Amino acid sequence: MKTMAVNAGTLRTAGRLDCWYFLSPASSTVVAVETARQRGVRIEQLGGSHGVAERVHHPNRYTRALAANGEPSLPYLRPYDVFNYYPEAADYVSAGRTENLDDYHLKSGQILQTRSGRNLGPAVLVDAHLAQFVMSDDMIRLEIADKQMRFYTLAYLNSQTGRRMLRRDKTGSVIDHLSEDQVASQEVLIFDAATFREVASLVGRAVKLRESARLTISQLLAAYESELPALRRAHPLRDGWTVRSRVFEGRLDAAFYDPLVSTVRRQLLRLGGKRVADVAQVLKPAGRYKTCYVDRDNGRPLLSGAQLLQTSLINLQYMAPRVFKDITAYELRPGWIAYPADGRAEEELGTPAFITKDRAGWLASGHVGRVIAKPGVDVGWLFLALKTSHAQMQLKARASGSVVDSTFPEDMEEVILPPPLDVDGAKVVQLWEDFREAQALEEQASVMIDEQLARCSC
């Protein structure tokens, strides 16, 4: 148990009684920041009339009006999806029936800060890809007109210094919360001009790389799917369909027998499509093992299905190697494609992610499937083929379960992939390398800020 004596004057100044505030990891950071202030480091408030941000806000609570078929709509993004390599719409909201829709529409250049949850971070910048989405009030928007200051502030918020100071001020019991005022009142340490310029430059390059990679994936995927059979139903889904008893394959769930899925499979085969099993090996290790999380120095990073898709990892855990009888079954290798094999079929189940060298040797849980291209198979094409709606709908239709949907290696193996056509596989692989480099640049910028504070407080 940790204990600490706090005098009455400190309690009155803080205006709070929760232990976390006084015993948080930010305590030493507070001292370091104060030392830096005394040594002449420039410190500005994040918001307010003279803050680095012109505006710190979030819209009112959001009532989501889902769009009907054919109705003008905008894609809706869940808050934690902004941390993914390639954020995708969770739903589509009505453009005409959603009140104050423009308030929820993300604007290019905004910084988004989580305001509720168990992690409260990291912060992300809205690029041209994210700017197509609308989002609820769960993210606080920071608007900074000066581009250099915007990039520097993003690096500061994502540094250990910024995160600790921000999380120190959280409130809540089960779920942590931050308010607009709490975020606006945070202080930003602005070091010397050379550090400021270098940090801003690193983040600017990262933002440009990630934005370009996202937009290019969108373009490549749209071009690829435009050459494939249209996903068009012969009859409205509400009319249902009839299945003869002789075609039952041991399952009674309707999605498995969706006639559109059967039609797509036949069409892809006629185009020269192949089963996943013909071009790749599919693996999924056992999902049951004793959990023993340890600190970073004593464990191996373990990705969940959701974290697999994240470029900015949320609450990454480290597992003690002794937990696994054969740890190699859980390791990831560069050039593999992995996907959430368990989850919700209408969400991220089956979404592929390319494993780059920065995650080589990391572990992934037993809820993550692995697709390993056979010799001579273009892994860039394989990723894009798995990403098409044509492949995704097949795998999702094969998922089974009640609350949590599950797929098995044989489900992925039976998916019919579209033929390569004119896909530039090398370009696809390079886009994932761009994602890796962008993340490395942002992390480098944030580390620079932490290192500068350490020097100033020595």
Side-chain angles (χ1 to χ4, degrees):
M1 177 184 293
K2 293 182 179 180
T3 61
M4 177 182 179
V6 180
N7 61 49
T10 302
L11 292 175
R12 281 195 296 271
T13 300
R16 42 197 301 172
L17 294 172
D18 49 315
C19 298
W20 165 262
Y21 184 81
F22 300 101
L23 290 173
S24 75
S27 299
S28 60
T29 305
V30 171
V31 174
V33 169
E34 188 56 36
T35 301
R37 189 197 309 272
Q38 294 170 3
R39 294 182 177 178
V41 174
R42 176 185 165 196
I43 299 179
E44 300 283 353
Q45 190 167 294
L46 185 55
S49 57
H50 300 290
V52 299
E54 285 77 22
R55 191 180 181 201
V56 178
H57 69 101
H58 68 82
N60 295 326
R61 288 186 66 86
Y62 180 65
T63 301
R64 186 170 34 165
L66 296 182
N69 288 337
E71 183 181 12
S73 62
L74 285 174
Y76 168 77
L77 194 65
R78 296 171 302 184
Y80 274 83
D81 288 345
V82 300
F83 305 119
N84 289 359
Y85 289 104
Y86 184 74
E88 298 181 89
D91 278 310
Y92 286 83
V93 297
S94 169
R97 293 183 291 109
T98 303
E99 295 183 4
N100 303 315
L101 183 59
D102 188 61
D103 292 344
Y104 307 102
H105 202 159
L106 298 179
K107 310 295 191 301
S108 185
Q110 288 178 330
I111 294 177
L112 303 178
Q113 171 63 54
T114 314
R115 73 181 186 94
S116 61
R118 294 186 178 180
N119 300 291
L120 300 178
V124 299
L125 190 138
V126 177
D127 57 19
H129 177 78
L130 285 175
Q132 66 182 302
F133 297 101
V134 297
M135 182 179 288
S136 68
D137 58 299
D138 289 314
M139 285 281 194
I140 292 177
R141 281 77 159 167
L142 285 71
E143 298 178 5
I144 304 175
D146 183 270
K147 186 177 290 187
Q148 296 295 96
M149 181 60 77
R150 184 191 312 158
F151 293 155
Y152 182 90
T153 302
L154 180 66
Y156 178 80
L157 290 173
N158 285 334
S159 68
Q160 287 294 328
T161 302
R163 291 186 189 183
R164 285 177 178 175
M165 295 296 284
L166 190 67
R167 292 170 183 171
R168 177 177 185 253
D169 212 27
K170 67 185 181 181
T171 58
S173 53
V174 178
I175 302 298
D176 300 323
H177 295 279
L178 289 171
S179 68
E180 284 181 15
D181 291 340
Q182 286 171 320
V183 174
S185 66
Q186 296 303 307
E187 294 180 324
V188 179
L189 281 77
I190 303 174
F191 294 100
D192 58 277
T195 298
F196 180 88
R197 287 193 299 270
E198 187 171 357
V199 167
S201 175
L202 288 169
V203 175
R205 287 162 54 195
V207 169
K208 186 175 181 179
L209 269 176
R210 186 178 294 118
E211 177 183 67
S212 177
R214 286 170 170 171
L215 295 176
T216 305
I217 285 179
S218 294
Q219 293 163 2
L220 292 176
L221 189 60
Y224 192 19
E225 290 187 340
S226 70
E227 299 183 60
L228 302 177
L231 301 179
R232 188 178 299 113
R233 293 184 180 276
H235 304 285
L237 187 60
R238 65 176 179 271
D239 292 346
W241 58 84
T242 301
V243 179
R244 296 184 180 277
S245 59
R246 66 172 179 268
V247 304
F248 279 121
E249 299 182 29
R251 297 179 57 154
L252 294 175
D253 49 314
F256 187 79
Y257 301 99
D258 187 340
L260 179 58
V261 174
S262 301
T263 299
V264 166
R265 289 174 63 84
R266 289 194 300 270
Q267 292 173 330
L268 291 178
L269 285 171
R270 283 198 294 268
L271 279 177
K274 295 182 178 180
R275 295 164 60 244
V276 169
D278 296 330
V279 297
Q281 180 185 13
V282 182
L283 302 176
K284 183 187 178 188
R288 298 285 183 180
Y289 43 79
K290 183 178 180 181
T291 300
C292 182
Y293 294 127
V294 293
D295 59 31
R296 180 173 184 168
D297 293 334
N298 295 294
R300 301 273 294 276
L302 176 74
L303 295 173
S304 67
Q307 290 170 329
L308 178 73
L309 308 178
Q310 294 173 348
T311 180
S312 300
L313 290 165
I314 310 301
N315 195 30
L316 178 64
Q317 299 286 351
Y318 296 84
M319 186 73 80
R322 66 177 181 274
V323 164
F324 305 99
K325 292 181 180 179
D326 179 11
I327 198 169
T328 60
Y330 296 86
E331 290 177 340
L332 299 174
R333 297 282 181 268
W336 286 11
I337 296 169
Y339 63 96
D342 303 323
R344 295 181 66 89
E346 65 272 22
E347 295 180 359
E348 294 172 334
L349 184 146
T351 303
F354 188 82
I355 305 302
T356 48
K357 62 183 180 182
D358 58 319
R359 296 187 178 182
W362 284 27
L363 310 178
S365 76
H367 299 294
V368 172
R370 288 84 161 156
V371 180
I372 307 166
K374 291 183 178 180
V377 173
D378 184 340
V379 70
W381 158 74
L382 181 57
F383 167 81
L384 203 63
L386 288 168
K387 185 71 180 153
T388 61
S389 301
H390 301 69
Q392 287 290 299
M393 70 185 305
Q394 294 178 60
L395 183 63
K396 293 176 184 294
R398 297 184 68 90
S400 57
S402 52
V403 178
V404 176
D405 300 312
S406 296
T407 62
F408 301 93
E410 52 268 29
D411 295 317
M412 175 60 85
E413 290 170 347
E414 289 301 315
V415 170
I416 306 297
L417 298 173
L421 301 178
D422 57 353
V423 169
D424 186 346
K427 187 173 185 178
V428 174
V429 172
Q430 182 57 52
L431 294 175
W432 279 89
E433 290 300 324
D434 291 346
F435 281 135
R436 178 192 59 77
E437 184 179 353
Q439 189 62 25
L441 289 169
E442 284 195 351
E443 291 172 1
Q444 182 182 347
S446 294
V447 167
M448 282 187 63
I449 290 174
D450 292 326
E451 290 175 344
Q452 285 291 337
L453 178 60
R455 293 190 190 99
C456 290
S457 57
C458 287

